[in-house]
Amino acid sequence: MTQNTKFNAAILIIGNEILSGRTQDTNTSTIAQWLNSIGVKVNEVRVIPDIENTIIETVNHLRKVNNYVFTTGGIGPTHDDITAQSISKAFNLEYEIHKEAFKILESYYKVGEFNEGRQKMVWMPRNANLILNPTSGAPGFYIENVFCLPGVPSILKSMLGGLKNKIVGGDPILSHTISLKTVESEIANSLTNVQDNNKDVEIGSYPFFHAGKLGVSIVIRSEDQLKIDKCSSEVLEFVNLKKIEVVVR
Amino acid sequence: MTQNTKFNAAILIIGNEILSGRTQDTNTSTIAQWLNSIGVKVNEVRVIPDIENTIIETVNHLRKVNNYVFTTGGIGPTHDDITAQSISKAFNLEYEIHKEAFKILESYYKVGEFNEGRQKMVWMPRNANLILNPTSGAPGFYIENVFCLPGVPSILKSMLGGLKNKIVGGDPILSHTISLKTVESEIANSLTNVQDNNKDVEIGSYPFFHAGKLGVSIVIRSEDQLKIDKCSSEVLEFVNLKKIEVVVR
């Protein structure tokens, strides 16, 4: 991976359900693709359990070594939702009712429906900035460079758009994929040469087995389209020489 | 999460393709479910890029604070496969041809097919123990408590069975799910009471939106079936009182 990207982030998935294997995390991919599109590279992902001290320590480490931290999970109404109170402790801030969030949920629900459970969702670190939720009302929040989003994938996805102007990024990270009907070992040496010629471009090689097709996808990533094009030509050059078939996936 | 499980593990996903969001990690769920079935709890998952120093530092940290570490990815034949050499450095061991692995791949491939690219896959830390690969020949390996598996999900899955007698675990971690036609806020308080009455049982609450059904799954996890049954009854008690419908997912 090239290290010249100016803006980077860590993703912190909070939840026992991912660690037990019961639930498949899909939020990493959603957030990572969105960050790439606004020029922020993901350095690291961690999945941790719903344990307060673990959340506090991990957030306090990650926020120091990354431009941004995105957490998912643990901001709902139940006993296992402890992200907001843990983040308050991490920043040494009061955990209290957020007046704006209270107003939002009070008008979101019908009269009588804004019950005690739902009111838990307006407790946040003091002076938290809200992240609006067009899907189910309850906002996420951010403090400094730590952005706290819900765990439900469809809700999380709907909230990212509203964050765009809160994040300073660089040039979008572009990528080009060339899929080949071959095996990795046939192209390993040639691909190493291309990587050696283009040290500041990230070149990945990934075997695939999909819908009866077997092959290798070569993924070329950079912020510079010209560099991607140069690598592409070099790959296609050895592909032609070796008479390897390019496939559409 | 209860902390009384005797055996624990970390999973380390190595690969730029997960961090870029291009590829969805599914290995975490596969390994976690398998570990749970043999009584090992997953404490933590990390996803890191194909950078040697990052791999070395992360492995050296995780192997000290967990009974087991499982890595996935980076043991294939291409330039971006640097796990085996990084693990060698982490353990301060020579990175060299593993004779048994060489014999396995020599007889796996047809004459002339065991080319330079494929030969890279028999380079391992000195005295590595092999993890046999019934799907595509090339073995994984382990050193002390660090188990290195490939990234391709179907291959990884096929290799776990052979590891069972290498891992000392505890009682399998059992779970029971009760799915309800309700929303989390309706049951939050009652569920908190059940958790307070059963502090050594892990109770999670997860909203679902699936196939036109909307509801909440309550997941009860413990090594002790009697404790799960007790919690279950307490949940069903408030569910009946509140006249909430139990649904089959």
Side-chain angles (χ1 to χ4, degrees), chain B:
Chain B
M1 178 175 273
T2 55
Q3 304 238 28
N4 58 351
T5 307
K6 283 179 204 135
F7 300 95
N8 54 53
I11 299 173
L12 180 59
I13 309 288
I14 300 169
N16 295 348
E17 74 276 22
I18 309 291
L19 290 175
S20 73
R22 179 184 176 273
T23 302
Q24 177 78 62
D25 163 58
T26 59
N27 292 330
T28 292
S29 170
T30 302
I31 298 173
Q33 287 186 46
W34 173 74
L35 285 173
N36 275 219
S37 76
I38 56 171
V40 178
K41 196 159 199 167
V42 179
N43 273 342
E44 179 178 5
V45 179
R46 296 198 193 187
V47 188
I48 58 170
D50 306 312
I51 297 177
E52 188 178 86
N53 278 341
T54 307
I55 300 173
I56 294 172
E57 281 166 23
T58 312
V59 164
N60 278 339
H61 170 72
L62 292 178
R63 70 189 176 100
K64 278 178 201 132
V65 297
N66 293 278
N67 295 114
Y68 304 105
V69 178
F70 290 82
T71 78
T72 79
I75 60 170
T78 55
H79 68 281
D80 53 344
D81 290 308
I82 60 168
T83 297
Q85 68 194 63
S86 305
I87 299 285
S88 305
K89 288 189 183 171
F91 280 93
N92 211 9
L93 290 168
E94 287 295 317
Y95 175 60
E96 60 182 30
I97 290 175
H98 191 291
K99 284 183 190 149
E100 194 186 338
F102 191 95
K103 275 185 202 157
I104 289 172
L105 284 192
E106 200 178 27
S107 62
Y108 182 84
Y109 291 112
K110 290 179 199 146
V111 175
E113 278 192 352
F114 189 32
N115 58 25
E116 201 182 338
R118 287 177 171 137
Q119 286 180 26
K120 180 170 180 287
M121 296 192 284
V122 305
W123 284 73
M124 293 181 189
R126 176 171 286 184
N127 294 329
N129 302 285
L130 298 186
I131 304 172
L132 298 185
N133 173 349
T135 307
S136 61
F141 62 87
Y142 66 95
I143 296 280
E144 295 181 18
N145 62 341
V146 178
F147 294 75
C148 299
L149 295 162
V152 177
S154 56
I155 302 179
L156 176 141
K157 218 166 185 168
S158 75
M159 290 166 73
L160 289 179
L163 271 182
K164 200 165 175 174
N165 57 357
K166 317 286 186 200
I167 309 276
V168 177
D171 293 329
I173 299 154
L174 307 169
S175 85
H176 180 61
T177 302
I178 302 172
S179 294
L180 302 172
K181 196 170 172 181
T182 186
V183 291
E184 282 192 307
S185 52
E186 291 296 331
I187 56 165
N189 285 348
S190 310
L191 202 58
T192 301
N193 290 339
V194 178
Q195 179 74 81
D196 288 346
N197 291 343
N198 300 274
K199 288 200 191 293
D200 56 349
V201 176
E202 182 184 314
I203 307 176
S205 159
Y206 310 108
F208 63 82
F209 310 86
H210 183 65
K213 288 182 188 169
L214 189 147
V216 180
S217 285
I218 296 170
V219 180
I220 305 167
R221 302 179 78 238
S222 168
E223 291 159 26
D224 185 339
Q225 186 64 45
L226 291 175
K227 289 182 179 170
I228 292 182
D229 293 345
K230 177 172 174 282
C231 272
S232 263
S233 327
E234 293 181 26
V235 169
L236 291 173
E237 202 174 313
F238 77 70
V239 162
N240 286 334
L241 273 174
K242 289 177 184 279
K243 301 193 197 312
I244 294 169
E245 190 185 330
V246 177
V247 294
V248 180
R249 287 190 69 193

Side-chain angles (χ1 to χ4, degrees), chain A residues 7-63:
Chain A
F7 300 94
N8 54 53
I11 300 174
L12 180 59
I13 309 288
I14 300 169
N16 296 348
E17 73 277 22
I18 310 290
L19 290 176
S20 74
R22 180 185 176 272
T23 302
Q24 177 78 60
D25 163 60
T26 58
N27 291 331
T28 292
S29 170
T30 302
I31 298 173
Q33 287 185 46
W34 172 73
L35 285 173
N36 276 218
S37 76
I38 57 173
V40 178
K41 195 159 200 167
V42 180
N43 274 341
E44 180 179 4
V45 180
R46 295 198 194 187
V47 188
I48 58 170
D50 306 311
I51 298 176
E52 188 179 86
N53 278 341
T54 306
I55 300 173
I56 294 172
E57 281 166 24
T58 311
V59 165
N60 278 340
H61 169 71
L62 293 177
R63 71 190 175 98

Side-chain angles (χ1 to χ4, degrees), chain A residues 18 32 36 41 59 100 110 113 151 189 191 195 204 224 226:
Chain A
I18 310 290
N36 276 218
K41 195 159 200 167
V59 165
E100 194 185 338
K110 291 179 200 144
E113 278 192 351
N189 285 348
L191 203 58
Q195 179 72 81
D224 185 340
L226 291 175

